[in-house]
Amino acid sequence: MLAKTPPMGWNSWDCYGASVTEDIVRQNADYMAKHLKQYGWEYIVVDIQWFQPTADNHEYKPFADLAMDEYSRLLPAENRFPSAKNGAGFKALGEYIHSLGLKLGIHIMRGIPRQAAHRNTKIKGIDLTARDIALPNSICQWNPDMYGVNPDSKGAKEYYNSLFELYAEWGVDFVKVDDIAREFHVGEINLIRQAIDNCGREIVLSISPGASPIEHAEYFKENVNMWRITDDFWDRWDLLLDMFERAQKWCTHAVPGHFPDADMLPVGAINQCYSKDAWTKFTKDEQVTMMTLWCIMRSPLMIGGELTKCDEFTLNLLTNADLLEMLNNSWCARQVYRRDDTIVWTAVQKNGGNYLAVFNIADEAKIISVELTKCGLDGEYNAFELWSKDKSVLKETLTVNINPHGVKIFKFD
């Protein structure tokens, strides 16, 4: 099964916006292969506007001249990705990433380039042009590059098939499709799903941005591998606090092959396109809380920071084998209760045992007591705290002192 467990990788958006280059992608792939691969991290994802030659931060430049082939398909900008010269696309970069035992991912926008419609360029495999399938009134509200595609028009299927035929030739393993989930452009999602199924290569399908409409949860579980449950997530406590409610609504829909996506992990050196000294604004406790919540709800994990600048804390955050074991081998995650400034979650370990997470969302440290019987834990247990590695024997009550915005998570055997 593709994406049997939540996909884990690195994405260039948080640290470089639209401006990432081939050298940067390679250096992050090298770091992942050396330091993270053994823990399950494997995807290297080139985020938005890799086809825009003058991109230099998180902002978009309207009417930029995009790199594109004769069939209306966007290509990597050669000044930023030198190995893409002569129409090679991401093939050489993909081969390099695969040589490290990792997988290549790319970001695309739904639809067809506005540039293609204006120039009336061809669609591969059919005697039609971009103008025949473009919907000029179907546009992204925050990015100027694309028109939507009319999914019912002749040529729409051929266009999307040609895209994923190209990505398969490049060796792409993961595609994040943007401007498609929140507004639920179901016709284009269907075309993309069919194109992936027809391209001859296994490709993980991720859709953005959120919040994806929960009334379509069963559709997402049948057609995509991961779907965003939030808009862009950044290093702000209010956004992390809001994620608890989203996680509670979506956690029951995490199943092998299909996962609600809480978005990237803004840890370490983010926003590098603005300052080489930029660092996450999350406290260490908030980062531990974020990792714990993402893992117990079984969200995909995508690192947002520049990997080569990882300090000891960030590296330890990303390589907690006990926590990642919960991500990959637990089920039935749920919020037990939310009371005052305390949130309690549980999950079941597939090979035996239970997980219990106690979150302190207050702005000060608190001593919190939890009645274990109310969490389905009746009897005496060996308890192991996944971050401190402390061991204890517990019966009836768990009492812990937790830092502000912090968490303690235990495995009970």
Side-chain angles (χ1 to χ4, degrees), residues 94-129:
E95 289 173 349
Y96 180 76
I97 289 171
H98 294 153
S99 75
L100 299 174
L102 303 175
K103 296 179 180 180
L104 171 65
I106 62 171
H107 171 291
I108 67 171
M109 300 294 297
R110 75 171 177 97
I112 194 162
R114 298 187 193 184
Q115 174 178 293
H118 298 164
R119 296 178 184 177
N120 207 25
T121 47
K122 299 176 184 177
I123 295 172
K124 187 175 182 182
I126 195 167
D127 190 21
L128 293 171
T129 66

Side-chain angles (χ1 to χ4, degrees), residues 81-351:
F81 297 89
S83 69
K85 287 183 178 178
N86 302 316
F90 279 126
K91 187 173 179 60
L93 181 59
E95 289 173 349
Y96 180 76
I97 289 171
H98 294 153
S99 75
L100 299 174
L102 303 175
K103 296 179 180 180
L104 171 65
I106 62 171
H107 171 291
I108 67 171
M109 300 294 297
R110 75 171 177 97
I112 194 162
R114 298 187 193 184
Q115 174 178 293
H118 298 164
R119 296 178 184 177
N120 207 25
T121 47
K122 299 176 184 177
I123 295 172
K124 187 175 182 182
I126 195 167
D127 190 21
L128 293 171
T129 66
R131 205 172 291 172
D132 293 313
I133 68 170
L135 287 176
N137 63 341
S138 177
I139 59 174
C140 177
Q141 297 302 310
W142 42 265
N143 177 274
D145 296 332
M146 313 293 277
Y147 289 137
V149 162
N150 179 357
D152 298 320
S153 66
K154 189 175 181 180
K157 179 178 72 172
E158 287 78 5
Y159 168 69
Y160 272 115
N161 282 348
S162 75
L163 283 186
F164 283 87
E165 174 188 285
L166 183 65
Y167 302 155
E169 291 173 1
W170 291 349
V172 171
D173 305 290
F174 178 108
V175 174
K176 173 185 173 182
V177 185
D178 217 334
D179 188 39
I180 201 166
R182 181 168 55 213
E183 291 78 10
F184 193 53
H185 293 281
V186 63
E188 289 192 78
I189 297 175
N190 288 339
L191 288 175
I192 291 166
R193 175 73 270 158
Q194 294 165 16
I196 291 175
D197 293 342
N198 293 332
C199 77
R201 184 175 183 84
E202 289 190 337
I203 296 176
V204 170
L205 174 58
S206 166
I207 61 173
S208 291
S212 298
I214 197 165
E215 61 267 26
H216 299 299
E218 297 306 317
Y219 172 88
F220 294 135
K221 286 153 67 176
E222 291 176 3
N223 292 281
V224 301
N225 302 108
M226 44 191 280
W227 57 94
R228 280 267 293 279
I229 63 172
T230 178
D231 204 341
D232 284 6
F233 178 80
W234 283 102
D235 49 337
R236 290 168 30 200
W237 170 244
D238 63 314
L239 296 179
L240 180 50
L241 187 59
D242 175 70
M243 194 62 71
F244 282 94
E245 184 176 348
R246 297 175 187 272
Q248 180 189 11
K249 289 196 302 184
W250 278 104
C251 62
T252 58
H253 296 287
V255 297
H258 312 280
F259 300 96
D261 177 13
D263 200 19
M264 285 179 278
L265 303 167
V267 297
I270 60 174
N271 286 318
Q272 296 295 286
C273 54
Y274 298 108
S275 170
K276 298 302 180 184
D277 297 323
W279 200 259
T280 183
K281 295 181 178 65
F282 275 142
T283 67
K284 289 181 178 180
D285 284 299
E286 288 166 351
Q287 292 176 70
V288 170
T289 288
M290 174 179 60
M291 280 292 294
T292 303
L293 180 60
W294 266 235
C295 287
I296 199 168
M297 71 167 284
R298 307 198 73 205
S299 168
L301 303 180
M302 289 288 160
I303 304 164
E306 167 59 57
L307 294 179
T308 63
K309 294 186 178 182
C310 277
D311 60 1
E312 182 179 3
F313 172 82
T314 307
L315 183 59
N316 289 337
L317 187 76
L318 301 173
T319 58
N320 185 325
D322 297 303
L323 191 78
L324 297 175
E325 171 71 16
M326 178 178 67
L327 172 78
N328 292 316
N329 291 298
S330 65
W331 54 23
C332 297
R334 65 184 180 92
Q335 179 178 296
V336 181
Y337 64 82
R338 179 172 183 163
R339 187 178 305 141
D340 299 324
D341 294 319
T342 300
I343 300 176
V344 176
W345 276 66
T346 62
V348 177
Q349 220 282 343
K350 287 185 178 180
N351 298 322

